[in-house]
Amino acid sequence: MKKACFSVFIALLLALVMCATGLALDSTLPEATPYVDYSSDRSAIFFNTQGYNQTVFFDFFYPFDPPLNVVVNNPIAQYTLDYPTYDDDGVLMVALDDLEKLYAPWLDFALADDALLVRHTTYTKDVVSGNGGRTPLIDYQKTVWEASISLSGNVMEVVKTPYEVIQMTTNRNIEALDAPDAVKLEETAYTFELDRSVTLRDGVYYLPCASFMTALGKDAVNEDGYLTVRTYVPHLRASTTEFGIAGLAEVEYGEADLASTSHPLLSRSHEGMTWGQYMDGVLDGSIADGYLWGAFYVGTEMLYTGELAENPDDIGENDPQVETVVNRVIPYCLYI
């Protein structure tokens, strides 16, 4: 009964956001989205390779605001892809639309002159001091990958452009990261051979996920039935084994841990499990209660402004609305 209730809830939630249909490809890349400190930054996406080809999981930092406490990956959220992945002789192929949503708003695509154009932007945050406080001192660094892939081949031409580190307390001068006068460091140009060519399948473009994301600076590894695509995050640790929650601000940091299915899950309702065990349990139905995290994509929505319609007879559905661009995968928690 609990599992059925959860399934019904998910179905209703997805029905509300079915506006998240395929993303149209223009001939030019869209204007880059400025950075904001967001509450669900994540370090890894887990693509199941054992038959659950439309479900992925991702970690995100807890508590939600990473500049306040960049310490532990937790928890794991489940997300349903728009298009099923497929295996091409050992290479996992993932729909371009789904990759764009998973990394939104900082992964963009365009089609021009028989080539796929790509732009991926990352913002690394390294807590210098004050971790766990309200105003930690942080080194922010923006890096942009711009690439093109011929639709008739599998060679990816990439230019990586890092920017000068900007040190600031949380969110105090965040617009400086994307300002026109932001200082570029030395560019690096390289070619990268993808495991497969860009493939058009049932009207949807697919990319070889592991090699494509590796070309954009990620680390990709096959482990325990998942393709783990992960990003290095300074100081982000797999667990709090060596210290208590109350002592986070005094932690002496070593090397950060890259996300893995073997990480211990920090959960009040699923103690003693690894990430991999938890994900397997959610997929096979053996985990159907406790704190369950899901996620859904929100694109461009018409939202009410909070004001009332001028005509009293129109108050309600006819209240003023404004078009709002969210363009993010949003996590949520359900307790059963």
Side-chain angles (χ1 to χ4, degrees), residues 32-332:
T33 302
Y35 176 76
V36 293
D37 272 327
Y38 191 55
S39 62
S40 67
D41 282 6
R42 50 191 178 269
S43 74
I45 297 175
F46 299 89
F47 296 85
N48 185 274
T49 58
Q50 299 299 311
Y52 298 94
N53 62 352
Q54 211 163 339
T55 301
V56 300
F57 294 86
F58 60 84
D59 71 308
F60 57 98
F61 311 149
Y62 188 86
F64 294 113
D65 195 354
L68 299 183
N69 223 328
V70 183
V71 177
V72 180
N73 312 68
N74 192 66
I76 301 294
Q78 180 183 4
Y79 174 74
T80 301
L81 302 174
D82 289 341
Y83 304 97
T85 63
Y86 70 92
D87 181 272
D88 183 358
D89 195 21
V91 175
L92 187 70
M93 304 292 288
V94 179
L96 179 153
D97 286 359
D98 282 320
L99 286 173
E100 187 164 12
K101 289 179 180 179
L102 284 168
Y103 289 94
W106 294 300
L107 179 60
D108 298 306
F109 296 95
L111 276 177
D113 299 328
D114 195 38
L116 179 66
L117 306 181
V118 184
R119 180 181 62 227
H120 180 45
T121 307
T122 63
Y123 298 86
T124 302
K125 291 171 283 190
D126 190 352
V127 180
V128 178
S129 63
N131 188 69
R134 298 300 301 178
T135 56
L137 187 64
I138 299 175
D139 280 345
Y140 289 85
Q141 185 173 32
K142 173 182 176 180
T143 304
V144 179
W145 283 263
E146 294 179 299
S148 65
I149 312 168
S150 170
L151 295 183
S152 58
N154 67 331
V155 175
M156 186 168 170
E157 303 283 346
V158 186
V159 176
K160 175 185 175 182
T161 306
Y163 285 73
E164 191 173 74
V165 172
I166 298 178
Q167 191 173 96
M168 67 184 95
T169 55
T170 310
N171 217 12
R172 288 300 175 87
N173 187 30
I174 213 70
E175 63 276 3
L177 294 172
D178 298 294
D181 60 352
V183 179
K184 293 183 179 181
L185 302 179
E186 184 177 355
E187 294 182 346
T188 303
Y190 55 94
T191 60
F192 197 96
E193 185 173 335
L194 301 179
D195 294 331
R196 297 289 184 273
S197 301
V198 179
T199 301
L200 186 62
R201 179 185 172 105
D202 298 328
V204 178
Y205 284 102
Y206 280 81
L207 290 164
C209 184
S211 56
F212 173 73
M213 296 311 301
T214 299
L216 297 179
K218 311 299 183 189
D219 180 81
V221 60
N222 284 291
E223 51 174 5
D224 302 326
Y226 294 88
L227 171 65
T228 304
V229 180
R230 53 200 186 180
T231 303
Y232 172 81
V233 179
H235 304 326
L236 190 61
R237 304 315 306 265
S239 71
T240 57
T241 303
E242 298 176 0
F243 48 86
I245 295 297
L248 292 180
E250 290 77 38
V251 171
E252 292 293 331
Y253 294 109
E255 288 297 318
D257 300 315
L258 281 171
S260 170
T261 56
S262 63
H263 278 5
L265 180 73
L266 302 181
S267 172
R268 295 177 180 177
S269 52
H270 306 106
E271 294 182 2
M273 288 187 171
T274 65
W275 287 3
Q277 291 169 337
Y278 171 79
M279 293 186 289
D280 288 345
V282 171
L283 291 174
D284 66 25
S286 60
I287 295 177
D289 56 15
Y291 290 96
L292 301 173
W293 287 85
F296 58 93
Y297 173 80
V298 180
T300 300
E301 305 289 340
M302 295 300 297
L303 301 179
Y304 288 104
T305 64
E307 300 174 353
L308 300 179
E310 293 183 5
N311 187 337
D313 295 333
D314 292 335
I315 291 177
E317 292 185 2
N318 294 320
D319 289 343
Q321 299 181 56
V322 62
E323 185 176 82
T324 303
V325 178
V326 181
N327 191 23
R328 281 177 173 83
V329 171
I330 309 295
Y332 64 90

Side-chain angles (χ1 to χ4, degrees), residues 5-17:
C5 291
F6 183 61
S7 299
V8 170
F9 176 82
I10 297 301
L12 290 173
L13 186 60
L14 291 175
L16 292 173
V17 296

